[in-house]
């Protein structure tokens, strides 16, 4: 009688532990490394643009157009001076 109750309980607890372990021991991405944001134009009072930029650092800065104004992210409610980069697919 005890084995009929114990077997399902052990099976369920093993599955629950496996699910818990999968989430508990997975690496958490660094904050801000996976964010895509719309660039802000500092020449237009930091107005948001429709250009999608990335916070992942690469050699290509994010611009309005090829050779155009460089775009930034907001560092405070009134200032945009955090450098953004062109999205790499």
């Amino acid at each position: 009688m005890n084995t009929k109750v114990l077997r399902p309980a052990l099976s369920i607890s093993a599955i629950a532990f496996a699910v818990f372990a999968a989430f508990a021991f997975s690496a958490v991405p660094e904050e801000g490394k996976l964010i895509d944001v719309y660039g802000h134009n500092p020449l237009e009072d930091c107005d948001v643009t429709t250009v999608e930029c990335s916070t992942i650092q690469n050699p290509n800065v994010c611009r309005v157009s090829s050779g155009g104004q460089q775009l930034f992210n907001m560092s405070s409610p009134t200032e945009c001076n955090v450098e953004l980069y062109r999205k790499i697919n």
Side-chain angles (χ1 to χ4, degrees), residues 47-60:
D47 286 343
V48 69
T49 65
T50 58
V51 180
E52 233 179 63
C53 303
S54 176
T55 57
I56 299 174
Q57 194 170 15
N58 66 62
N60 306 312

Side-chain angles (χ1 to χ4, degrees), residues 25-56:
F25 300 112
S26 62
V28 176
E30 291 182 32
E31 185 178 333
K33 289 291 183 187
L34 303 175
I35 297 175
D36 293 331
V37 295
Y38 290 104
H40 295 263
N41 191 341
L43 296 181
E44 297 177 2
D45 295 328
C46 290
D47 286 343
V48 69
T49 65
T50 58
V51 180
E52 233 179 63
C53 303
S54 176
T55 57
I56 299 174

